[in-house]
Amino acid sequence: SNLIEEALFDQNFSITREISLKKPIIKEKIAISSDLHKYFKDIEEDFPDLEIFEISENTTCAQMVFELGDVSALIGTKISDLIGSVFLNQNAIVVDMQSYRCFCGDWMKKFASNLGLKYISFDQECDCDSFACSDLIDWESPINIDKKEMLAIIEQLI
């Protein structure tokens, strides 16, 4: 946890935010973790005008800079997705879905606050609040949530 705090909380990202592409938000464009890929077809059927930018482990920093500047929301399931929030427009929303993995750390809430971004999370099932649960999580497995719940989250964002 000390490494995360040093890397994210004690840094000034003002230079990164200044060089990020300044684009108006496209309300019908969101970035979503590849961990939620199995919901994309349902999302596209229910929201045909919605453009999805998929964030995966292969997404480069340059792609994030180019694609995330105009998304209305970033839905992430782990650090590698959520770190892209540094490139978001000031009026975008960060949706932190790490708690679906029973992860209690609130690092993203602090990070979003430091960046001045709107932040949404969900009830957490873990109470360790010390990142101890992180070692117990299979971060590579997809998150399983009810399809209706996923679609309700998207509906609230757009």
Side-chain angles (χ1 to χ4, degrees):
S1 69
N2 289 339
L3 181 62
I4 291 173
E5 288 186 21
E6 278 184 40
L8 300 179
F9 307 142
D10 297 338
Q11 301 299 316
N12 180 345
F13 286 96
S14 59
I15 293 173
T16 306
R17 294 190 60 79
E18 283 299 315
I19 62 171
S20 296
L21 299 176
K22 302 277 192 232
K23 300 188 275 186
I25 284 183
I26 299 173
K27 188 173 178 173
E28 288 81 24
K29 182 178 179 186
I30 59 175
I32 306 179
S33 170
S34 62
D35 285 342
L36 301 168
H37 187 84
K38 71 180 181 181
Y39 302 99
F40 285 14
K41 183 178 177 193
D42 296 317
I43 293 168
E44 290 167 349
E45 286 176 2
D46 280 28
F47 306 98
D49 296 332
L50 187 65
E51 178 184 347
I52 297 174
F53 173 68
E54 183 174 1
I55 301 173
S56 74
E57 62 187 34
N58 298 322
T59 304
T60 66
C61 188
Q63 289 170 316
M64 284 189 180
V65 168
F66 184 76
E67 292 289 343
L68 297 180
D70 61 358
V71 301
S72 60
L74 183 156
I75 302 172
T77 63
K78 52 191 168 191
I79 292 172
S80 58
D81 309 326
L82 293 164
I83 197 68
S85 60
V86 74
F87 303 115
L88 294 176
N89 180 303
Q90 202 66 24
N91 296 311
I93 300 169
V94 177
V95 181
D96 182 355
M97 297 189 75
Q98 293 180 102
S99 60
Y100 280 91
R101 298 182 188 277
C102 300
F103 178 65
C104 68
D106 64 351
W107 69 270
M108 189 58 217
K109 181 178 182 180
K110 293 176 187 175
F111 188 48
S113 177
N114 285 352
L115 295 172
L117 296 169
K118 297 173 190 127
Y119 173 82
I120 298 172
S121 186
F122 300 90
D123 290 337
Q124 299 170 349
E125 297 177 24
C126 179
D127 294 320
C128 77
D129 200 30
S130 66
F131 295 99
C133 55
S134 179
D135 294 335
L136 306 173
I137 296 170
D138 177 5
W139 289 96
E140 299 308 314
S141 67
I143 288 178
N144 288 312
I145 66 172
D146 182 72
K147 177 180 99 170
K148 289 180 182 179
E149 186 177 357
M150 186 70 218
L151 294 173
I153 290 168
I154 301 297
E155 185 174 26
Q156 290 178 19
L157 293 173
I158 60 170

